[in-house]
Amino acid sequence: MPEITEVDEGPTALNALGDALAQAGAKSISGQREELAAGLLKASLKQWEDPAVRPQLLADLTAAITDEAGAERMRAFMSAQSSQIFSQLGKALGLSQSLDIHEVAEILKVPPLNINAAQAQVWGMVILRYILRLDPISTASSEEIVELLAPTIQRYLVD
């Protein structure tokens, strides 16, 4: 079982990813909803493409797949009221309370399952691109990935 890398202080890679996704989501929700999926994908890929951030993101993902404590951290990151993504989204939208996956689904006017489906698309791409390094998705440009996946993710997130 891989050892889980801990970060003692400062922002973690998941925090950086959560911040980027929250900012992209808030910008699209309060502005151009038709750009929601593309904005989220671009923000995610920017973090994954950053050589300073990717090793920690890979460690967090590996821990989530191989270790129950890692899986719990990833569940909390992705859906709980204390979720990095959704609490930061609430702040970015100017709300005083933290949001959870159900409240975000209400804002988007989609079922919570649709949010999970969008997450599955992104995390599946991440596994193929950065862990398995499966060609051609591993060698495609970020722009090609956005162009390919954004329409499907958009369908999940915009009613």
Side-chain angles (χ1 to χ4, degrees), residues 37-135:
L40 292 171
L41 278 168
K42 288 174 186 175
S44 181
L45 285 164
K46 183 176 180 184
Q47 294 300 309
W48 280 98
E49 294 294 323
D50 184 336
V53 177
R54 186 185 312 159
Q56 182 62 48
L57 287 173
L58 288 170
D60 290 335
L61 180 56
T62 300
I65 294 170
T66 61
D67 177 76
E68 182 55 33
E72 182 55 38
R73 280 193 303 276
M74 191 62 76
R75 281 190 293 271
F77 170 74
M78 293 173 65
S79 68
Q81 184 145 29
S82 61
S83 157
Q84 187 71 28
I85 297 169
F86 299 140
S87 66
Q88 289 169 302
L89 177 60
K91 289 178 191 171
L93 289 171
L95 303 175
S96 59
Q97 82 275 6
S98 293
L99 301 173
D100 65 18
I101 192 170
H102 300 284
E103 292 162 326
V104 172
E106 284 181 34
I107 290 170
L108 295 174
K109 296 180 176 57
V110 299
L113 183 59
N114 286 30
I115 294 173
N116 282 159
Q119 292 169 327
Q121 288 285 316
V122 175
W123 288 103
M125 177 273 298
V126 164
I127 290 169
L128 293 176
R129 185 171 171 92
Y130 301 107
I131 293 178
L132 298 178
R133 295 185 201 114
L134 184 64
D135 199 31

Side-chain angles (χ1 to χ4, degrees), residues 1-14:
M1 188 176 312
E3 188 174 318
I4 298 173
T5 305
E6 295 291 333
V7 176
D8 293 330
E9 294 184 30
T12 67
L14 284 178

